[in-house]
Amino acid sequence: MSHGRPRILVPGKMSKRVLDRLPETFDLVFVEAADPSLVTPEMVSDVQGIAVSGKLPAGFMDAFSNLEIIANFGVGYDGIDAAHAAKRGVVVTNTPDVLTEEVADTAIGLLLNTVRQLPAAEQWLRQGRWARDGAFALSPLTLRGRTVGLYGLGRIGLAIARRLEAFGVSIAYHTRTAREGLAYTHYPTLKDMAEAVDTIIVIVPGTEATRRTINAEVLQALGPQGVLINVGRGTTVDEAALADALSRGVIAAAGLDVFESEPYVPEALLALPNVSLLPHVGSASQATRNEMADLVVDNLVAWFDTGEALTPVEETPFKRKSV
Ligand code: NAP
Ligand code: 8YV
């Protein structure tokens, strides 16, 4: 260990603000990716913390003998094997709350883009077609009179629901546990909710339990006026089933900010006119990304200063052993 300052490893890409702030408190070391074959003998015992944006598999954690903390840039930590970290006594932190309102704003924007075809309308104008060919076609869909089912009603889901109230739509949700004190209808199963609503917004974490749960059966239940919005994780949607449903009119339209194999988007989805696509920009304003970056760094500083992380994930509610 050098200079008595904890050594933090950054595998792969990381926010510039995190990289600017970390050297105030820590010694830094970098590898191109979270690949155990890139770990040098010095890193094995020197590295006490990792700051990561993206994937960090169990095998990479196991390469370090004195690892204490993994600070994830993002509230979703599906890229990190948190159960394995828990077994090893390594704390994992994420960035809840600071991005909630931004992601909820994005979800509403994507919903309106999808239902009212606003990106296509702008293209019509930019391509000179308004002057040449006349008015853009009326949108077959409207938000008016819709019933929106939120798949997930946590921090971000609730912020989306609060915004939807102002739009005058009916609101329902599916989670494993009903939330008390809310007027929204709770459905204990996703299929039952899909049958009852005409719009689903996915905002659950990407876990084994949510994996490909938006499948052919659920899309069939959503129906021909159905709209699917996904701002959670791409793994929650069976993308082949979705492309098939969109191409055959099983549902009407979809708006997607997240994909199973980012940054790659299935050709079958790119080819469809009734999909609005965004490149995972839910939290992507400078202001919100700055707050996320600060929380990554502040978690590491708090851990080594006070022995407690600010926002540990539920699997790793640990305190530091030696402060
Ligand atoms: P959160 O507060 O933990 O909420 C998660 C919600 O999902 C809870 O209502 C939870 O309710 C529900 N849920 C979890 N597992 C479920 C299951 N198997 N079946 C049904 N419901 C389930 O998380 P959050 O802060 O709102 O963030 C949610 C997710 O959004 C993140 O994990 C991340 O993947 C995604 N996200 C995306 C972007 C973006 O840029 N597009 C940005 C930020 C976050 P129960 O536990 O009662 O089931
Ligand atoms: C980020 C996100 O884009 O917080 C999350 O879970 O999906 C987004 O805010 C991502 O984590 C940064 O790579």
Side-chain angles (χ1 to χ4, degrees):
M1 232 150 290
S2 60
H3 327 302
R5 295 180 1 137
R7 180 156 290 188
I8 304 296
L9 173 73
V10 181
K13 290 198 176 122
M14 178 46 78
S15 131
K16 182 177 178 303
R17 189 171 173 109
V18 172
L19 298 179
D20 286 346
R21 278 200 55 202
L22 282 176
E24 293 163 11
T25 316
F26 303 107
D27 285 348
L28 292 195
V29 57
F30 299 92
V31 287
E32 258 181 54
D35 175 348
S37 72
L38 302 175
V39 176
T40 64
E42 299 77 55
M43 290 178 200
V44 168
S45 57
D46 279 5
V47 167
Q48 289 176 273
I50 297 177
V52 66
S53 177
K55 288 198 188 327
L56 201 154
F60 191 70
M61 278 177 221
D62 289 345
F64 305 96
S65 52
N66 292 313
L67 181 62
E68 298 179 30
I69 179 166
I70 298 166
N72 181 54
F73 184 85
V75 66
Y77 52 98
D78 44 290
I80 297 176
D81 192 336
H84 188 74
K87 273 190 224 143
R88 284 208 41 195
V90 172
V91 71
V92 176
T93 67
N94 65 346
T95 62
D97 301 316
V98 294
L99 45 59
T100 293
E101 305 300 330
E102 196 78 72
V103 181
D105 289 349
T106 309
I108 296 294
L110 184 55
L111 174 65
L112 288 170
N113 279 354
T114 306
V115 170
R116 296 296 322 284
Q117 303 178 322
L118 301 179
E122 181 167 354
Q123 284 311 310
W124 184 265
L125 179 155
R126 287 182 181 278
Q127 289 162 1
R129 299 195 62 184
W130 188 12
R132 199 167 62 240
D133 301 329
F136 183 69
L138 305 181
S139 70
L141 302 176
T142 175
L143 200 56
R144 302 299 90 225
R146 282 193 172 262
T147 301
V148 181
L150 287 142
Y151 179 20
L153 196 74
R155 291 169 290 246
I156 302 171
L158 188 59
I160 296 171
R162 295 300 191 208
R163 282 160 176 73
L164 287 172
E165 285 182 29
F167 285 83
V169 296
S170 302
I171 301 169
Y173 69 107
H174 164 62
T175 52
R176 291 165 301 184
T177 311
R179 287 186 70 146
E180 280 177 22
L182 292 175
Y184 316 137
T185 310
H186 177 253
Y187 288 91
T189 75
L190 178 57
K191 172 92 181 302
D192 285 347
M193 183 176 81
E195 266 158 13
V197 305
D198 53 29
T199 307
I200 291 179
I201 300 180
V202 179
I203 186 64
V204 281
T207 62
E208 267 317 297
T210 60
R211 187 175 174 73
R212 296 196 181 168
T213 44
I214 298 285
N215 56 22
E217 192 187 12
V218 167
L219 295 168
Q220 185 78 45
L222 188 57
Q225 293 300 309
V227 171
L228 176 77
I229 304 297
N230 188 6
V231 283
R233 282 292 180 265
T235 49
T236 304
V237 173
D238 180 337
E239 290 175 340
L242 175 62
D244 179 62
L246 287 163
S247 64
R248 293 191 298 111
V250 173
I251 68 165
L256 309 171
D257 182 47
V258 287
F259 304 89
E260 181 158 355
S261 301
E262 294 174 8
Y264 305 103
V265 177
E267 285 298 331
L269 289 172
L270 287 168
L272 290 166
N274 49 346
V275 196
S276 188
L277 302 164
L278 292 176
H280 200 149
V281 293
S283 66
S285 72
Q286 192 63 65
T288 293
R289 287 289 170 86
N290 283 351
E291 290 200 54
M292 292 164 64
D294 285 345
L295 190 47
V296 169
V297 177
D298 293 346
N299 262 302
L300 290 165
V301 171
W303 179 257
F304 289 103
D305 266 10
T306 71
E308 276 187 65
L310 302 176
T311 52
V313 303
E314 62 183 3
E315 292 90 335
T316 63
F318 310 138
K319 290 190 182 170
R320 196 170 181 222
K321 289 190 187 81
S322 54
V323 190

